[in-house]
Amino acid sequence: DYLNAVFYPEETVAYVLNSSLRPDGGYAPRGNGIYSRTAGEIIEDLRTKPLQEALCGVYDPEAGAWIRVNSLDGNGISDANVMTFRHVLVEADEWSIEDQMNLYTALELPIAALVHSGGKSLHAIVKVDATTRQEYDERVDFLFTVLEKNGLEKKARRNRNPSRLSRLPGIERAGQKQHLVATHKGKASWNEWREWLEEENDNLP
């Protein structure tokens, strides 16, 4: 469901199963991961194979796993390898899960997929529907400005780059499940959200 919501079948998906323990006791993704398979191939494998076999790797259930929010070209994992500038990651882990959900809902964010991180975050994969990197940067700047005016801390901008990793749903993490909460939540597209936002602002005193 997540892959169908975020990617087209022919698009190359990049994800990381390996992890390393940080000095603070948390886990960080390690290495470049797998970045040569299409969403369609993974979905087909998930229908017939156990999860780790379908993902072509083993992950640490204490650490969880990660996936990049935009498709890549299959040649690397940097921003230069991004093929689609369709999504940006938004999270507000300094807030409670309930308050994060309330923020995303109140702002009618055009969310392709909403993922519980298995920790203290709701990862919103927000549609920006950009066609170029320049347009992506402009739209992401606008989005985070709106979020900050509604209480989100500026440090959330650290997630703004198009090759950003988010939590992969369906994966165990320290006894919890990284799980898909919703797909296609809020407005259907970036343009629809902008129009709604402008109408909301017009109605303010």
Side-chain angles (χ1 to χ4, degrees):
D1 289 343
Y2 176 90
L3 292 172
N4 278 320
V6 178
F7 303 100
Y8 290 111
E10 68 276 9
E11 289 180 341
T12 300
V13 176
Y15 53 95
V16 179
L17 303 179
N18 294 331
S19 58
S20 55
L21 184 63
R22 298 194 308 253
D24 64 3
Y27 288 87
R30 176 170 54 85
N32 291 342
I34 296 168
Y35 52 92
S36 60
R37 305 180 69 210
T38 67
E41 289 170 347
I42 300 168
I43 290 168
E44 191 61 34
D45 280 349
L46 286 169
R47 291 193 178 109
T48 59
K49 298 177 181 177
L51 178 62
Q52 300 210 46
E53 186 179 342
L55 293 176
C56 298
V58 177
Y59 75 95
D60 181 351
E62 284 299 308
W66 300 263
I67 186 167
R68 299 190 188 277
V69 299
N70 288 298
S71 65
L72 304 185
D73 60 10
N75 298 315
I77 58 164
S78 72
D79 288 345
N81 299 111
V82 172
M83 293 295 289
T84 57
F85 299 97
R86 201 158 53 240
H87 306 115
V88 66
L89 170 63
V90 172
E91 65 170 323
D93 57 6
E94 69 276 8
W95 294 13
S96 69
I97 292 291
E98 182 181 4
D99 285 343
Q100 291 174 60
M101 176 66 88
N102 288 339
L103 174 68
Y104 303 156
T105 301
L107 287 178
E108 290 278 356
L109 292 184
I111 295 172
L114 190 61
V115 177
H116 193 297
S117 70
K120 56 184 180 178
S121 297
L122 280 178
H123 287 197
I125 313 303
V126 177
K127 304 171 190 175
V128 292
D129 301 328
T131 55
T132 66
R133 178 61 192 268
Q134 180 180 347
E135 184 178 49
Y136 176 89
D137 288 340
E138 290 169 354
R139 292 185 174 191
V140 167
D141 273 337
F142 178 85
L143 171 67
F144 278 105
T145 298
V146 170
L147 289 166
E148 287 160 10
K149 286 180 178 178
N150 285 273
L152 195 68
E153 294 186 10
K154 286 187 179 295
K155 69 176 185 178
R157 287 182 181 254
R158 68 183 183 272
N159 295 323
R160 57 170 293 126
N161 63 302
S163 65
R164 174 63 56 175
L165 285 166
S166 176
R167 287 287 175 171
L168 177 64
I171 297 293
E172 187 177 341
R173 178 188 178 189
Q176 302 294 322
K177 202 70 174 284
Q178 297 176 186
H179 64 271
L180 184 63
V181 176
T183 60
H184 303 300
K185 180 177 171 60
K187 296 304 179 186
S189 67
W190 172 266
N191 288 337
E192 186 178 317
W193 179 70
R194 281 297 306 267
E195 291 172 7
W196 171 83
L197 195 65
E198 288 167 9
E199 289 173 1
E200 287 293 299
N201 287 338
D202 287 343
N203 291 330
L204 292 176

